[in-house]
Amino acid sequence: MSKILIFDSGVGGISIYKAIKEQLPKADYLYLFDNKYFPYGELDPDFLIERVCQLVGYMYKTFSPDLVVIACNSASTLVLPALRKRFPIPFVGVVPAIKPAALQSKKKKIGLLATPGTVSRDYTQVLVNEHAQDCAIEMIGTTNLVLQAENKLYGNPVDLEEIKKVVSTWTITETSPDIVVLGCTHFPLLIAELEESVGKHIKFIDSGMAIASRVKSILGDEYLPIAEQNSGKAFCTKIQVQKKLTHLFNEIGLSQPLYIEI
């Protein structure tokens, strides 16, 4: 039986979970979010590396996952080398979809909407240098949209005016990119609000389906269980009394988030 651990700082990784589950509906899922230190976008890099390794180490020792997906761009662009060095299982990271954006852009001008951490990482610049040398790129780093996405999932109002402020430079058709990469797993959850804020001249892309295909290629169909399986376990690092969140997790086949003290 294939057991997949999906890890994020918050519940934005649900967008990745859904994409993977669509391709691998019978796998056994674990979802861990580190809400004790949410959001990750502005944490000290050394602290972030040790924090993620600590949490993954606990889950590896306790549940023995076959594969781990780091469903957080801020963490993926930093911690994957350390994780692969410490644990003998495959890790799949979520990194900005710069390459497909460059290939799809007719204006050869692309945007990256991500957290401040992801925008500033050397890894992100390497992706740009390797795959988008023929494109101009505009990057916007924001923590605000991460919080807005969490609000939406928790059933709280989304501040559309705040979203419009973040992407205001992309509202002019003549000067804006035609492709914008959503470089945070929270941001696909705000796709309707983003499209309303900038207009129809921009296409937003994310890496959800590409990550799902990568996971499937590593595990392979023969690694899947025979019996139908439609339940998984969720875990958090900070106790929250959130009935709406529990309802959300139950709706997508995950348990009420269980607290782990780390």
Side-chain angles (χ1 to χ4, degrees):
M1 176 181 293
S2 58
K3 185 179 293 182
I4 301 170
L5 168 62
I6 298 171
F7 173 81
D8 189 15
S9 61
V11 292
I14 284 176
S15 64
I16 300 297
Y17 162 77
K18 288 181 175 178
I20 296 173
K21 191 170 184 179
E22 186 175 327
Q23 294 201 32
L24 299 173
K26 299 177 183 178
D28 188 9
Y29 290 95
L30 304 166
Y31 185 93
L32 168 62
F33 60 106
D34 188 15
N35 53 335
K36 183 176 181 179
Y37 286 98
F38 169 85
Y40 271 3
E42 298 179 43
L43 290 184
D44 174 76
D46 290 336
F47 175 84
L48 182 54
I49 291 172
E50 289 307 312
R51 177 66 180 170
V52 175
C53 286
Q54 180 186 30
L55 290 169
V56 170
Y58 170 83
M59 297 297 285
Y60 175 73
K61 183 178 180 180
T62 307
F63 298 102
S64 302
D66 298 297
L67 180 147
V68 179
V69 177
I70 304 299
C72 171
N73 286 266
S74 298
S76 290
T77 52
L78 186 68
V79 306
L80 286 174
L83 290 169
R84 287 168 175 153
K85 187 176 181 179
R86 298 188 192 188
F87 305 100
I89 53 175
F91 286 88
V92 176
V94 179
V95 296
I98 298 294
K99 183 177 181 180
L103 293 173
Q104 293 180 42
S105 176
K106 295 179 180 177
K107 295 172 71 173
K108 292 303 175 185
K109 186 173 186 178
I110 62 179
L112 171 62
L113 187 61
T115 65
T118 297
V119 165
S120 65
R121 296 271 193 270
D122 291 341
Y123 190 93
T124 301
Q125 192 56 52
V126 169
L127 288 176
V128 173
N129 294 341
E130 289 183 349
H131 303 298
Q133 285 190 340
D134 60 339
C135 294
I137 183 164
E138 294 181 356
M139 301 186 188
I140 295 177
T142 173
T143 300
N144 191 327
L145 293 195
V146 180
L147 302 175
Q148 294 293 333
E150 291 269 323
N151 279 337
K152 185 175 182 178
L153 280 175
Y154 279 78
N156 298 322
V158 174
D159 191 335
L160 188 60
E161 292 306 312
E162 285 297 319
I163 296 175
K164 289 180 178 179
K165 287 180 184 177
V166 172
V167 296
S168 60
T169 59
W170 291 338
T171 57
I172 302 172
T173 304
E174 291 74 17
T175 58
S176 73
D178 56 346
I179 304 289
V180 168
V181 178
L182 299 180
C184 172
T185 54
H186 282 78
F187 295 169
L189 303 169
L190 294 173
I191 188 68
E193 290 81 1
L194 287 167
E195 290 177 342
E196 182 178 344
S197 297
V198 300
K200 297 182 178 179
H201 58 281
I202 289 179
K203 178 182 178 181
F204 293 96
I205 65 172
D206 63 74
S207 51
M209 294 310 297
I211 296 302
S213 297
R214 177 61 179 155
V215 170
K216 186 175 182 179
S217 71
I218 292 174
L219 293 177
D221 291 339
E222 71 279 3
Y223 216 171
L224 300 177
I226 297 174
E228 288 288 340
Q229 181 118 1
N230 192 34
S231 63
K233 295 179 180 177
F235 303 87
C236 60
T237 56
K238 179 181 177 182
I239 296 176
Q240 288 180 298
V241 181
Q242 292 286 353
K243 291 183 179 179
K244 291 180 179 177
L245 187 61
T246 297
H247 180 66
L248 166 70
F249 273 70
N250 291 163
E251 277 190 328
I252 59 176
L254 293 171
S255 69
Q256 177 182 351
L258 304 173
Y259 170 69
I260 58 174
E261 187 175 0
I262 296 180

